Amino acid sequence: ALGVDFASAEATKLLAQATAGSGDIPGALELLDRAMAEGREESGLAELRADLLAAQRLLAEGDAAWARGDAAEALGAFARLEGGLLFDAPALVARMGHCYLAA
């Protein structure tokens, strides 16, 4: 795992983006929360945190649609995340694959 110098808000932001990109939204939020607790709120950390929380909600919406048996709605939710914050998330690809197979 990479360490982060929380004195650098930009480094924190980049590490949080990379962490989220692989699908670890809670880990990315933890990084941002630690940096912001140390007074590092510049460089868009709060905005990135809000985007991550929105992505987390969208994942939950997709999971709920899948649980209801609505593969098309679930796929729509997951597709909105693809290529954005979750640019390299195997779990997202798997979720989308399940939806395609169910359609």
Side-chain angles (χ1 to χ4, degrees), residues 58 62 72-84 92 96 99-100:
L58 200 49
E73 183 181 334
L75 182 59
F78 298 145
R80 287 184 289 194
L81 293 167
E82 184 182 34
L92 179 62
M96 293 178 75
C99 294
Y100 284 121

Side-chain angles (χ1 to χ4, degrees), residues 6 8 25 44-45 48 56 58 63 66 73 85-86 89 96:
F6 289 107
S8 171
I25 293 175
L45 297 183
L48 178 57
Q56 198 170 42
L58 200 49
D63 287 340
W66 175 255
E73 183 181 334
L85 285 172
L86 302 181
M96 293 178 75

Side-chain angles (χ1 to χ4, degrees), residues 27-74:
L29 288 169
E30 181 182 329
L31 285 169
L32 293 173
D33 289 343
R34 285 175 52 194
M36 292 169 70
E38 293 182 13
R40 304 285 179 236
E41 296 187 21
E42 66 275 1
S43 298
L45 297 183
E47 292 84 6
L48 178 57
R49 188 178 191 288
D51 291 345
L52 290 170
L53 290 171
Q56 198 170 42
R57 283 190 298 274
L58 200 49
L59 271 175
E61 289 173 18
D63 287 340
W66 175 255
R68 287 192 312 273
D70 191 343
E73 183 181 334

